[in-house]
Amino acid sequence: MAASRMDLDGRPIKPITICMIGAGGFIGSHLCEKLMSETPHKVLALDVYNDKIKHLLEPDALPWAGRIQFHRLNIKHDSRLEGLIKMADLTINLAAICTPADYNTRPLDTIYSNFIDALPVVKYCSENNKRLIHFSTCEVYGKTIQSFLPKDSPLRQDPAYYVLKEDVSPCIFGSIEKQRWSYACAKQLIERLIYAEGAENGLEFTIVRPFNWIGPRMDFIPGIDGPSEGVPRVLACFSNNLLRREPLKLVDGGQSQRTFVYIKDAIEAVLLMIENPGRANGHIFNVGNPNNEVTVRQLAEMMTKVYTKVSGESALETPTIDVSAKEFYGEGYDDSDKRIPDMTIINKQLGWNPKTSLWDLLESTLTYQHRTYAEAIKKSMAKPTSS
Ligand SMILES: NC(=O)c1ccc[n+]([C@@H]2O[C@H](COP(=O)([O-])OP(=O)(O)OC[C@H]3O[C@@H](n4cnc5c(N)ncnc54)[C@H](O)[C@@H]3O)[C@@H](O)[C@H]2O)c1
Ligand SMILES: O=c1ccn([C@@H]2O[C@H](COP(=O)(O)OP(=O)(O)O[C@H]3OC[C@@H](O)[C@H](O)[C@H]3O)[C@@H](O)[C@H]2O)c(=O)[nH]1
């Protein structure tokens, strides 16, 4: 099966070894799954955790046994990193602190994780002539130009002022005390450094800007497989509320807009980048679904409807409540107003298009959430609390 696979230019795809840093996270787990089930490539999977890829590592009888190897390490301080990058043909760096609740409360860890800790990875790839696919973020665009226009300006209708385009749009962040932007700023600087390594030293790189990829295994459910007081990204926050039958919290009224793409669609795009280096090298790619735009309030409403359908439970009388950003995230939070990816470059280079509608992706994801967590939540809620 694998030997006859062709790239986009009709050439047979040769098996390669991939050093995947952050392989134990949400995106990494889906990418490992795809690479094991549909390709002949080998993966050196690096992470501090492996819970989300355990099903790929054990038992030894799995059809891909021997093609995936887990290395438990922290890239902040581990001398094995360079050796592992040297053993591979391609490095994919996914490692990062990337939950907004951390950006303004742990700004130093956020900056170190997204910039300083990524530096050796870039350096080792450049020095050893290894290809790098680096995961950045749509947050590097910051706020849209539209958000600074007067409310009654007709220019607000013009996509030139809000659609985010890799080679045209500016990066607009808030002031320094809005520490929300520390993440985006660190990601922007590492993008610039990688770009400069390409320009000055010939590093072969691809930069990925994910636009809200969501699906099973994203983050954690507080108190079940993560800290009770932890604040994950919105999919897991709302899933947790639905599972516990409590109102979904809308930060500052839930007016911000996002486009959500199904993780399985997005992984197809990454596989195309891996297997078509000639088309992907030197490029920055938006990866998102421009057709799945909603406000956070609309997302909450849709998730409530979908969850009612997949769980068979009745809807809550009060499905949502408003909370202020300060109350929910603390001092220094700020938000991206709107995120619609322009798809021209990825379409032209890789012919990729997302397929799954928001309703469909929520249906499969919430079915997974219900199946995975409903029992555990019931048990934990039935336990008497110690006082
Ligand atoms: N999911 C999205 O929609 C999205 C959007 C924009 C950007 N991204 C970017 O994509 C990448 C992956 O995101 P994700 O959603 O899978 O996040 P995730 O938190 O699930 O995965 C990141 C993984 O990196 C690991 N890691 C972090 N620091 C490490 C270190 N020092 N050493 C070893 N491992 C370390 C973590 O343990 C985790 O398993 C990140 O760079 C993130 O900024 C994701
Ligand atoms: O319970 C909640 C959680 C979140 N929200 C809101 O929902 C929106 C989305 O929040 P998420 O936590 O998913 O994160 P964001 O979309 O703001 O940023 C994310 O996008 C790009 C990636 O780099 C990161 O994964 C993360 O920074 C925000 O407006 C947030 O304020 C709520 O209204 N209620």
Side-chain angles (χ1 to χ4, degrees), residues 260-317:
F260 293 94
V261 64
Y262 191 34
I263 182 71
K264 291 187 194 293
D265 287 354
I267 290 294
E268 295 274 353
V270 183
L271 188 59
L272 286 167
M273 292 174 207
I274 294 173
E275 299 193 323
N276 293 276
R279 288 166 174 261
N281 284 347
H283 287 284
I284 298 176
F285 292 116
N286 286 344
V287 180
N289 188 336
N291 307 317
N292 280 350
E293 190 184 35
V294 278
T295 62
V296 173
R297 180 179 289 278
Q298 288 166 334
L299 174 74
E301 288 163 358
M302 198 185 280
M303 284 182 67
T304 304
K305 276 198 198 123
V306 173
Y307 191 73
T308 306
K309 181 178 170 197
V310 303
S311 68
E313 290 170 14
S314 58
L316 287 182
E317 244 169 67

Side-chain angles (χ1 to χ4, degrees), residues 21-22 24-28 46-49 52 73-76 93-96 98 113-114 117 135-138 183 187 210-213 218-219 233:
I21 307 169
F26 163 58
I27 296 176
L46 282 53
D47 206 305
V48 204
Y49 306 109
K52 295 184 184 184
L73 61 84
N74 186 333
I75 60 164
K76 267 184 197 301
N93 189 8
L94 295 150
C98 53
S113 167
N114 284 285
D117 299 347
F135 272 71
S136 179
T137 173
C138 58
Y183 166 75
K187 286 280 204 201
F211 280 65
N212 294 76
W213 300 9
M218 185 168 200
D219 298 336
R233 285 170 286 188

Side-chain angles (χ1 to χ4, degrees), residues 85-103:
I85 289 177
K86 277 188 180 170
M87 278 166 67
D89 304 288
L90 161 70
T91 292
I92 302 181
N93 189 8
L94 295 150
I97 287 179
C98 53
T99 32
D102 291 324
Y103 306 163

Side-chain angles (χ1 to χ4, degrees), residues 88-143:
D89 304 288
L90 161 70
T91 292
I92 302 181
N93 189 8
L94 295 150
I97 287 179
C98 53
T99 32
D102 291 324
Y103 306 163
N104 57 314
T105 54
R106 298 168 58 202
L108 283 175
D109 286 342
T110 301
I111 295 168
Y112 272 80
S113 167
N114 284 285
F115 182 64
I116 307 285
D117 299 347
L119 283 177
V121 177
V122 180
K123 182 169 154 258
Y124 297 147
C125 287
S126 189
E127 286 173 358
N128 294 291
N129 297 315
K130 300 292 184 180
R131 192 180 164 218
L132 171 67
I133 298 182
H134 185 83
F135 272 71
S136 179
T137 173
C138 58
E139 288 213 13
V140 294
Y141 293 109
K143 304 185 188 213

